[in-house]
Amino acid sequence: MLPVSKRFRSPAALRRALAVVSGSLTLVLGAVQTQAQARGDLLIAPTRVVLAGGGSTEVILNNIGTAPATYRISLELRRMSPDGELDDVADADAAATEKAAIEMVRYAPRRILLPPNQPQSIRISARPAPELADGEYRVHMLFRAVPDEGAPIDDDKAVTTQTAQGVTIKLQPIYGITIPVIVRKGQLQATATMTNPHLETIQNRPTLMLDLHRSGTRSVFGELLVRPAGGGDPLVQSRGIAVYPEVQSRKVEVPLSAEQAAALKGRRVRIEYRELPENGGALIASLDSAIG
């Protein structure tokens, strides 16, 4: 199941929140995915937008399903925490840089009906004010499916629960995608380092853990590659790892297969943090270490 929004981090949490509801009720549960493909049959490219000094660009949406689908597009503020999670930011809690970001980004259209296999572009633009301080400004663009009001709930996908009063509640997931939209003003630089690589078991799955540190005036973004110390093909690869300016370091968790964990445990490896190949593949940081 895709991760649910920060307001309800799991179906169980939402069930608890609804336990006091009385009477018959059917609700819609919102969920967000940060990958390029969602269960709602929506593909987006690119999955990250960077506007240097402002300007404009396009994001292409494609409905790979077999039926028309409607999507609502909106902007949200999210703030990275030291554990790497992106927490929702309420308007009242937004910092000055976050308010500036959401005010400068423009986009259209805001709601689209996508027939199957007919791509459509979303225009995105930003014009930083001359008096705005140099720095990196970020919003997150949410593409969320709009359910057909006349369509019945899919029992195979719905989450069903009962309250203490015997009320049956069905929660129909609504899936979507979020992508960061980053506006950079001025000559910004950043470097990164890594420390403390080790193995842990998280939710009964072996996981490679490490701390990723950032310094400078902008975010870093790339992929993690773990190779044998003497070189060779990666034993582990994880793409799309970012450290945003609001944090100087974050924890990185890379789920492993049992075979990958066995190959890493007690072994000396070279860990590389690189830009994505489509962005040039430059080395951002590296670390030679044994994995405990």
Side-chain angles (χ1 to χ4, degrees), residues 209-221:
M209 304 285 297
L210 60 84
D211 296 322
L212 181 57
H213 311 277
R214 178 203 61 84
S215 61
T217 52
R218 64 170 177 83
S219 61
V220 290
F221 178 79

Side-chain angles (χ1 to χ4, degrees), residues 59-133:
V59 171
I60 306 300
L61 310 186
N62 191 16
N63 173 12
I64 61 172
T66 57
T70 300
Y71 292 90
R72 181 182 296 114
I73 304 152
S74 59
L75 297 182
E76 298 184 342
L77 293 175
R78 296 188 175 187
R79 193 178 297 158
M80 179 168 278
S81 64
D83 62 2
E85 296 288 337
L86 289 171
D87 297 321
D88 294 336
V89 178
D91 292 344
D93 299 327
T97 54
E98 292 167 330
K99 292 178 181 178
I102 208 162
E103 288 172 359
M104 79 170 75
V105 173
R106 299 287 183 266
Y107 63 99
R110 303 196 173 198
R111 183 184 175 108
I112 57 172
L113 172 63
L114 283 180
N117 299 311
Q118 290 190 23
Q120 180 168 334
S121 64
I122 304 297
R123 300 181 300 278
I124 303 173
S125 64
R127 289 191 177 89
E131 66 274 13
L132 195 66

